[in-house]
Amino acid sequence: MEQQRLFQILELDGTLSDNSMVISEKLAVEMYKLLVLNRVFDRKLVNMQRKGQIGTYASFEGQEASQVGSAMALLPQDWMFPTYRDHAAMLTFGYEMVKIIWYWMGRIEGCMPPNNRNILPPYVPIATQIPQAAGAAWASKYKNEGACSIAYFGDGATSEGDFHEGLNMASVFKAPVVFFCQNNGYAISVPFSRQTASETVAQKAIAYNMNCVRVDGNDVFAVYVTTKNALEAARSGKGPTLIEAVTYRYGPHTTADDPSRYRSAEESETWKLRDPLLRLEAYLRKQNVLDQDTQEMIHIEADRLVNDGIQYALNVPKPDPSIMFKHVLSEKPWNIQEQESSFNSFMERYHHQ
Ligand SMILES: Cc1ncc(C[n+]2csc(CCOP(=O)(O)OP(=O)(O)O)c2C)c(N)n1
């Protein structure tokens, strides 16, 4: 069955299992640069949390190919609905790096969409982005704007009602949306086998009469091709697709989690043999487009870009804490007004001490 087969182009040793899928040299190098940049970014953000510069952080290391490959397939007019783990997708689609750092510093600027891209702030309430992405896609179809939505979510989100409502509506209205599930095996400590009795996420699309693909989420070529096909189908009126990208997060759920409580170190090590970055590196080496010097230069440049982003993020003045009372409600109810005035008098006393 199509929904059970794992679609793959790039073998673990960097050879192509499907030669008919031509990915240009230029595109492959671009993918590599983005994978490196995102891995460097992710590791440095974990370090920032350890140094107390950000409160908490959700790492995506291991999932870079799923996020980079899918986001590269989007067109500029498309709509992205990410979660708290999808920074690589956001960066690839044009979100400013500094804003992602600010998001984790708790700054409001970290939730503001860029001027030229429809990128929603990261969704923390699980699966809430799914019906919203379906709605935005339907609106775009209704207004004839030619834009698709892509909703990112994890395997845990498929147990929420929002997942089923969003898929149902999108399929009935043939909304141009791609539902992109990164099945990384766990929802915090809950393994996939306890999440659902379904064998795969992809097969859940059958109930909604929706296209589905199960793809190797650590194979950036396969993810890119799959997402591009799904977006093209959506744009040409063929309706939504559910993509299940099978992948793994190497690190903890967030910096506040200890994965040794629920999974073995060997499991992570086994997954590292399928590493998305090393696979593409092996391919580029075989094609003679990546020598040692170029590889080093790509890493140095990624390091520089991320260090610059971090410095910039840290060097702006701290926000006025009263901003927490702004931008949520257009009219403040009595209890929020009360909290605001009590907070203001506390701050006055504090400053006069
Ligand atoms: C509606 C809701 N319920 C519970 C939580 C707490 N929570 C945060 S992350 C998470 C697990 C999500 O797992 P998954 O969807 O697989 O995504 P992943 O974190 O693996 O990327 C849960 C239950 C939440 N944020 N929102």
Side-chain angles (χ1 to χ4, degrees):
M1 278 193 295
E2 194 59 26
Q3 69 274 10
Q4 312 289 15
R5 198 176 70 88
L6 197 64
F7 175 55
Q8 198 185 45
I9 296 179
L10 199 51
E11 301 278 352
L12 302 192
D13 65 356
T15 50
L16 293 182
S17 46
D18 187 340
N19 277 311
S20 63
M21 301 286 177
V22 188
I23 300 270
S24 73
E25 204 172 273
K26 188 165 165 275
L27 186 63
V29 172
E30 204 183 322
M31 285 169 167
Y32 181 69
K33 286 182 179 168
L34 281 164
L35 291 183
V36 172
L37 178 71
N38 279 291
R39 180 152 298 181
V40 169
F41 175 80
D42 193 64
R43 288 186 178 175
K44 285 189 191 277
L45 270 272
V46 172
N47 289 343
M48 282 185 82
Q49 194 279 335
R50 297 294 184 235
K51 287 193 270 184
Q53 292 168 325
I54 53 178
T56 185
Y57 179 70
S59 159
F60 57 80
E61 183 167 344
Q63 301 183 208
E64 296 93 340
S66 290
Q67 296 188 21
V68 168
S70 54
M72 283 183 87
L74 295 168
L75 295 184
Q77 71 268 28
D78 290 338
W79 287 76
M80 176 179 280
F81 294 76
T83 76
Y84 49 80
R85 202 186 299 289
D86 298 314
H87 314 310
M90 293 173 82
L91 282 173
T92 301
F93 194 39
Y95 204 75
E96 302 94 324
M97 183 186 289
V98 67
K99 284 200 195 163
I100 298 177
I101 304 170
W102 279 335
Y103 171 80
W104 289 106
M105 288 170 81
R107 297 190 67 117
I108 188 130
E109 297 91 332
C111 283
M112 289 176 179
N115 291 331
N116 57 350
R117 286 286 184 280
N118 303 314
I119 305 178
L120 277 288
Y123 283 69
V124 178
I126 302 299
T128 48
Q129 71 278 26
I130 298 173
Q132 294 187 15
W138 185 42
S140 157
K141 184 179 173 182
Y142 188 74
K143 293 196 271 182
N144 241 323
E145 289 175 344
C148 292
S149 293
I150 186 163
Y152 288 90
F153 51 93
D155 39 299
T158 65
S159 298
E160 291 282 356
D162 274 350
F163 168 80
H164 299 278
E165 291 163 27
L167 263 68
N168 185 57
M169 189 194 126
S171 197
V172 170
F173 288 91
K174 289 208 177 301
V177 49
V178 173
F179 298 108
F180 194 90
C181 177
Q182 287 166 84
N183 181 354
N184 64 10
Y186 293 87
I188 314 185
S189 55
V190 178
F192 188 68
S193 59
R194 300 288 291 168
Q195 189 65 247
T196 176
S198 308
E199 248 176 76
T200 71
V201 168
Q203 74 188 63
K204 291 176 190 283
I206 296 168
Y208 300 107
N209 202 20
M210 186 186 292
N211 305 316
C212 60
V213 185
R214 194 163 186 261
V215 60
D216 182 339
N218 287 12
D219 173 346
V220 69
F221 291 172
V223 172
Y224 173 77
V225 168
T226 301
T227 316
K228 203 161 186 293
N229 290 343
L231 288 164
E232 274 166 18
R235 245 182 273 279
S236 63
K238 294 192 183 119
T241 299
L242 172 62
I243 298 175
E244 176 186 4
V246 180
T247 183
Y248 194 80
R249 73 165 148 76
Y250 294 157
H253 170 72
T254 65
T255 45
D257 171 49
D258 171 11
S260 70
R261 303 275 299 270
Y262 55 84
R263 63 183 203 193
S264 67
E266 296 82 65
E267 189 183 283
S268 309
E269 290 314 308
T270 313
W271 269 93
K272 284 181 186 167
L273 302 173
R274 310 175 61 84
D275 186 70
L277 221 145
L278 296 180
R279 256 154 105 174
L280 183 56
E281 212 164 86
Y283 169 80
L284 293 172
R285 286 285 175 103
K286 276 190 210 300
Q287 303 297 308
N288 287 325
V289 284
L290 189 72
D291 57 27
Q292 193 65 33
D293 287 351
T294 321
Q295 197 178 329
E296 265 172 37
M297 265 167 49
I298 290 173
H299 277 82
I300 290 169
E301 176 63 2
D303 228 56
R304 188 189 64 75
L305 280 170
V306 181
N307 286 341
D308 286 356
I310 293 174
Q311 276 322 309
Y312 190 84
L314 291 174
N315 281 344
V316 292
K318 284 204 163 66
D320 177 351
S322 68
I323 201 168
M324 70 176 128
F325 294 100
K326 297 197 176 115
H327 308 300
V328 178
L329 302 161
S330 59
E331 280 174 39
K332 289 173 205 159
W334 65 268
N335 57 331
I336 301 288
Q337 286 177 30
E338 218 174 76
Q339 286 173 30
E340 186 173 18
S341 67
S342 131
F343 177 76
N344 287 341
S345 38
F346 166 80
M347 290 305 277
E348 264 172 43
R349 282 201 309 277
Y350 178 81
H351 284 303
H352 286 114
Q353 269 171 16

